[in-house]
């Protein structure tokens, strides 16, 4: 019987079963080139069931988005680490964190963490990139890593995330269907087949439930239109460097009594950590002392 090759010795702890025989440097080179990576079926059925159960009361309220960007036929649930500790497992998953820490540093922060549930009839999102709140124009280095966890299967008809490979290296100038300020003001529901941003290079990320996509903060992407008869659910933790402000104010979104129950790495990602030499202190001391 042929001997199986040993796994590369540069793999971050806990990632070998997904990264396989390729070196971590090889995976990172692909990430740098394409702006995204896809890992099928990372989460098992038990993990998916626990996530669905934790989200059920919030999705059951059926609160829809406030504008065209959030999705007028979409449920969004924010501040997930305040809702259930089960989401800490996603936020601190070793596969996602390996790439976030490699790009952003070990002292990176959780910038946002939300569930996005596209209902049937939802239209395409405008093309956008997740670290667009940083002022310097594109092209520039990415200051974010977004994880997209498929809780439902992502199909060609239910609104799978669409990406433009390599677009993290471009300016995006003149991109048809790109986001504008009007997307946050539009409150009129459109038709699912109305798509002002059709692009020949767009790729739909079609994957089974439990899969993970990672995207650079400067990669242009969008939620697709849901032309199916069932909702499509994903969860997206988004990471930023430790020296930046988070999109969601995590120390308010997740109150101390909730944060105190979370694993230490999740606490650090919320902001109970220091960016060297002392950025993030509280009353002259390490912020984790607030939880003690």
């Amino acid at each position: 019987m042929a001997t199986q090759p040993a796994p590369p010795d540069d793999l971050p702890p806990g990632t070998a079963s997904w990264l396989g025989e390729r070196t971590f440097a090889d995976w990172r080179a692909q990430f740098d080139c394409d702006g995204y990576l896809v890992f099928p079926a990372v989460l098992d059925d038990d993990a998916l069931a626990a996530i669905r159960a934790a989200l059920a009361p919030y999705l059951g309220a059926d609160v829809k988005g406030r504008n065209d960007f959030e999705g007028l036929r979409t449920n969004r649930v924010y501040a997930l680490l305040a809702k259930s500790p089960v989401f800490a497992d996603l936020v601190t998953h070793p596969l996602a964190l390996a790439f976030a820490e490699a790009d952003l540093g070990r002292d990176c922060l959780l910038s946002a963490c939300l569930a996005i549930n596209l209902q049937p009839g939802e239209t395409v999102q405008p093309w956008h990139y997740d670290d667009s709140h940083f002022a310097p124009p594109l092209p520039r280095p990415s200051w974010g890593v977004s994880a997209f966890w498929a809780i439902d299967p992502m199909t060609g008809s239910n609104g799978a995330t669409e990406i433009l490979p390599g677009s993290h290296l471009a300016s995006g100038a003149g991109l048809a269907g790109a986001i504008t300020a009007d997307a946050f003001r539009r409150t009129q529901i459109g038709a699912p087949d109305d798509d002002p941003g059709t692009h020949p290079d767009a790729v739909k990320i079609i994957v089974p439930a439990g899969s993970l996509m990672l995207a650079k903060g400067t990669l242009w992407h969008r939620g697709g239109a849901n032309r199916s008869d069932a909702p499509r659910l994903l969860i997206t933790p988004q990471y930023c460097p430790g020296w930046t402000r988070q999109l969601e104010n995590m120390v308010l979104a997740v109150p101390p009594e909730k944060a105190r129950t979370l694993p230490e790495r999740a606490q650090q990602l919320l902001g109970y950590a220091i960016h060297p030499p002392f950025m993030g202190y509280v009353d002259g001391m390490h912020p984790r002392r607030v939880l003690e």
Side-chain angles (χ1 to χ4, degrees):
M1 180 182 292
T3 302
Q4 292 296 319
D9 60 10
D10 75 332
L11 299 185
T15 64
S17 60
W18 299 293
L19 301 187
E21 298 174 10
R22 294 173 60 185
T23 67
F24 187 56
D26 186 31
W27 282 103
R28 287 200 69 203
Q30 181 182 338
F31 197 30
D32 289 342
C33 177
D34 297 339
Y36 76 104
L37 295 170
V38 176
F39 298 95
V42 175
L43 301 178
D44 62 25
D45 290 343
D46 288 343
L48 292 171
I51 290 166
R52 291 191 183 101
L55 279 174
Y58 304 100
L59 296 179
D62 198 28
V63 177
K64 300 295 201 304
R66 293 161 288 190
N67 51 54
D68 189 44
F69 179 78
E70 283 194 321
L72 298 169
R73 293 188 180 98
T74 292
N75 314 120
R76 289 187 172 228
V77 183
Y78 295 95
L80 290 184
L81 290 186
K83 306 293 194 291
S84 170
V86 72
F87 300 113
D89 294 337
L90 286 188
V91 166
T92 62
H93 195 284
L95 182 57
L97 269 188
F99 289 93
E101 291 175 354
D103 269 24
L104 309 173
R106 178 63 173 73
D107 57 350
C108 63
L109 296 171
L110 183 67
S111 183
C113 186
L114 61 149
I116 304 175
N117 190 49
L118 269 65
Q119 297 284 357
E122 183 57 280
T123 59
V124 292
Q125 258 190 321
W127 291 106
H128 62 282
Y129 56 99
D130 283 342
D131 72 1
S132 60
H133 51 288
F134 293 116
L138 300 178
R140 58 160 172 78
S142 170
W143 291 321
V145 171
S146 293
F148 297 80
W149 291 99
I151 310 305
D152 291 328
M154 302 289 138
T155 71
S157 62
N158 74 354
T161 301
E162 301 175 18
I163 59 102
L164 296 176
S167 59
H168 63 301
L169 303 174
S171 70
L175 178 63
I179 192 167
T180 66
D182 286 344
F184 299 98
R185 294 192 288 262
R186 283 197 296 268
T187 58
Q188 183 176 357
I189 296 176
D193 293 328
D194 183 16
D195 184 1
T198 301
H199 198 288
D201 297 331
V203 173
K204 291 186 177 184
I205 305 301
I206 298 174
V207 291
S211 299
L212 170 65
M213 181 182 78
L214 296 168
K216 299 273 188 181
T218 48
L219 184 80
W220 288 86
H221 65 281
R222 67 180 185 175
N226 189 348
R227 300 182 179 90
S228 75
D229 58 1
R232 180 280 272 170
L233 176 63
L234 66 74
I235 294 176
T236 175
Q238 301 174 9
Y239 306 88
C240 64
W243 49 265
T244 66
R245 183 171 184 177
Q246 296 144 291
L247 275 174
E248 185 162 18
N249 190 325
M250 289 296 176
V251 294
L252 293 179
V254 185
E257 60 270 21
K258 297 273 191 177
R260 194 173 289 116
T261 67
L262 299 174
E264 182 178 5
R265 188 68 185 104
Q267 294 171 348
Q268 294 168 348
L269 289 164
L270 288 175
Y272 294 95
I274 290 290
H275 175 75
F278 45 70
M279 188 176 181
Y281 67 83
V282 176
D283 199 16
M285 295 183 291
H286 195 287
R288 197 172 188 282
R289 292 172 67 100
V290 174
L291 300 180
E292 295 174 350

